[in-house]
Amino acid sequence: MSSYSDICPKFEFEEDDYLKATDIKKVACIGAGVIGYSWATNFCMKGYPTVVYDVFPAALDNAKVKIGEYIDILVNCDVFSKEVGEAAKARVSYTSDLKEAVQDAQFMQESGPENYEIKQKLLAEIDKYAPADAIYSSSTSGLLISEIAKFSEHADRCLGGHPYNPPHLIPLVELAKGDKTTDEVVQTAYDFYKLIGKEPIILRKEVLGFISNRLQNALYREYVEIVSRGVCSIEDADKALVFGPGIRWGILGPTLTWQLGGGAGGIKHIFDHIGPSMDLWLKDMAVWQEYPKDWGAFAQEGVNEEMKNRDKEFGNTPEEIKQFQNKALIELLKIHKKL
Ligand SMILES: NC(=O)c1ccc[n+]([C@@H]2O[C@H](COP(=O)([O-])OP(=O)(O)OC[C@H]3O[C@@H](n4cnc5c(N)ncnc54)[C@H](O)[C@@H]3O)[C@@H](O)[C@H]2O)c1
């Protein structure tokens, strides 16, 4: 393999006169769906005046309710006081006028529909009204930022800022550069996401599915494989992760976990020692490239059984389980000092 520093170089800047994270005073959330209103919650609770835009007034009404509920949950979990929560809610304004939303914003988080044409049209409108150096960060899950910004006059200020749902709680944001995005824009977005408590990571090349979805799918392919082979039930495969590697991965990533597991010899020792066994496992593992067509229905039956079997205190319905998940997530985030 090439050397680590060749593959992962650091950014270096020649100029110093670009918009910095500390220059960001107002944020616009474009698109007020599931991701948009969660992002707005994050921005307002970190002190930023936030304007939420959507073409549909009903979406704005719904966003207002959801932002209120998210803030109330955080108050109930002692993340901040009721007064602080009310002040956060008061920082959010709502509009279906795009010009009003972006004309004095320095940072725009776009969470509109996952469709090139819609995002390109939105960006053309944004180009007309937003300050030229305001950053445009798209929440897109799978579209290429180069393609979204293909017709933009300001493609240099556009990047992908891919969150994990719900963005106001999950710290990860994956930053993707397009072919015209400047390193300075990426650096400012990175610094800004840090300021609002996120854990941004920068993709040095555009790649389908970003980092986390690729990792998640690589693991899930093997999950499908062992359940389909009859090795274990859905419930046991979930337990094998939650009470095994998953609980460790919520604290440290796999390489750092193995660094500790290797004792004085670190990860190098793990690979020298157990590497040959791991090669054997790899040879027996799934390599197929399309999920079985009936997996969804099959898994549904297994997960229904799993929900029924859970201890009552951890929830048996999706709504109860979600409440448990939220509470546990908030506790873990407090340990990571992300809330
Ligand atoms: N849902 C997820 O788990 C998830 C996770 C990460 C990223 N994303 C990405 O976030 C973006 C939004 O996804 P979502 O799940 O919030 O979708 P959503 O359907 O809940 O919300 C989209 C919103 O965009 C609005 N909209 C429609 N046309 C518009 C226009 N022309 N201008 C502005 N707003 C418009 C809709 O009214 C709706 O409120 C997508 O790009 C998606 O890929 C979603």
Side-chain angles (χ1 to χ4, degrees):
M1 289 189 74
S2 311
S3 79
Y4 186 76
S5 55
D6 280 350
I7 295 187
C8 299
K10 294 204 159 68
F11 290 133
E12 280 173 28
F13 306 111
E14 284 167 16
E15 305 287 338
D16 196 38
D17 62 346
Y18 59 92
L19 181 102
K20 306 285 192 315
T22 46
D23 298 325
I24 296 170
K25 307 290 179 209
K26 186 172 177 186
V27 181
C29 289
I30 317 291
V34 172
I35 295 300
Y37 55 68
S38 176
W39 266 126
T41 306
N42 201 142
F43 296 129
C44 76
M45 78 191 204
K46 291 294 176 179
Y48 288 89
T50 303
V51 51
V52 179
Y53 162 82
D54 202 286
V55 266
F56 299 111
L60 294 173
D61 294 342
N62 182 52
K64 191 169 183 179
V65 172
K66 293 291 182 189
I67 292 168
E69 285 174 7
Y70 282 164
I71 299 270
D72 291 346
I73 290 172
L74 292 166
V75 169
N76 291 337
C77 290
D78 296 325
V79 175
F80 39 67
S81 67
K82 192 164 170 37
E83 293 67 39
V84 169
E86 292 308 312
K89 288 180 200 172
R91 273 184 212 109
V92 190
S93 56
Y94 302 85
T95 182
S96 44
D97 178 338
L98 186 60
K99 181 177 178 195
E100 187 187 322
V102 300
Q103 63 188 357
D104 54 354
Q106 292 80 36
F107 194 89
M108 301 169 284
Q109 184 75 43
E110 176 271 308
S111 312
E114 184 77 348
N115 172 294
Y116 278 124
E117 211 185 323
I118 297 180
K119 288 194 195 293
Q120 285 164 348
K121 276 193 186 146
L122 250 174
L123 193 48
E125 287 292 294
I126 287 170
D127 278 357
K128 281 196 233 160
Y129 306 127
D133 62 350
I135 290 179
Y136 165 96
S137 184
S138 174
S139 299
T140 179
S141 308
L143 306 179
L144 296 176
I145 193 69
S146 301
E147 196 60 27
I148 293 175
K150 187 160 77 171
F151 306 115
S152 172
E153 282 169 35
H154 300 292
D156 55 309
R157 51 95 170 261
C158 300
L159 81 162
H162 173 238
Y164 241 55
N165 194 26
H168 71 288
L169 291 181
I170 306 286
L172 179 66
V173 191
E174 298 180 276
L175 306 189
K177 280 181 77 170
D179 50 14
K180 301 207 178 91
T181 319
T182 64
D183 285 350
E184 286 81 355
V185 161
V186 177
Q187 184 67 52
T188 298
Y190 178 94
D191 293 342
F192 178 60
Y193 284 124
K194 276 273 194 198
L195 277 181
I196 61 158
K198 302 287 92 181
E199 198 59 55
I201 53 178
I202 301 172
L203 275 71
R204 286 143 204 270
K205 292 178 182 165
E206 281 189 290
V207 67
L208 278 176
F210 300 94
I211 300 167
S212 53
N213 280 334
R214 289 176 81 104
L215 294 175
Q216 194 166 257
N217 272 272
L219 179 73
Y220 203 68
R221 174 164 55 187
E222 190 54 31
Y223 181 114
V224 172
E225 177 76 11
I226 51 169
V227 174
S228 304
R229 277 199 213 170
V231 175
C232 61
S233 64
I234 292 268
E235 184 176 356
D236 285 347
D238 272 0
K239 279 186 190 164
L241 283 172
V242 170
F243 297 108
I247 207 159
R248 298 198 307 201
W249 291 340
I251 305 166
L252 302 171
T255 305
L256 194 44
T257 301
W258 277 348
Q259 170 66 18
L260 304 186
I267 182 126
K268 184 173 177 311
H269 173 65
I270 293 265
F271 273 84
D272 290 344
H273 179 205
I274 308 176
S277 287
M278 296 200 281
D279 288 345
L280 283 180
W281 310 338
L282 284 181
K283 290 187 182 86
D284 187 46
M285 286 164 66
V287 289
W288 42 261
Q289 292 192 318
E290 278 180 23
Y291 283 109
K293 292 283 168 277
D294 53 353
W295 172 255
F298 177 88
Q300 187 64 61
E301 214 180 311
V303 81
N304 288 345
E305 186 66 25
E306 177 180 353
M307 289 194 286
K308 215 167 59 194
N309 291 344
R310 289 169 62 84
D311 277 354
K312 205 168 169 22
E313 65 172 311
F314 299 124
N316 301 102
T317 64
E319 204 36 59
E320 290 166 0
I321 297 170
K322 211 168 175 179
Q323 279 181 25
F324 165 73
Q325 185 195 33
N326 258 333
K327 263 176 68 183
L329 195 51
I330 287 170
E331 291 311 313
L332 185 59
L333 290 172
K334 284 182 189 167
I335 291 171
H336 281 292
K337 301 206 182 309
K338 291 293 178 201
L339 273 178

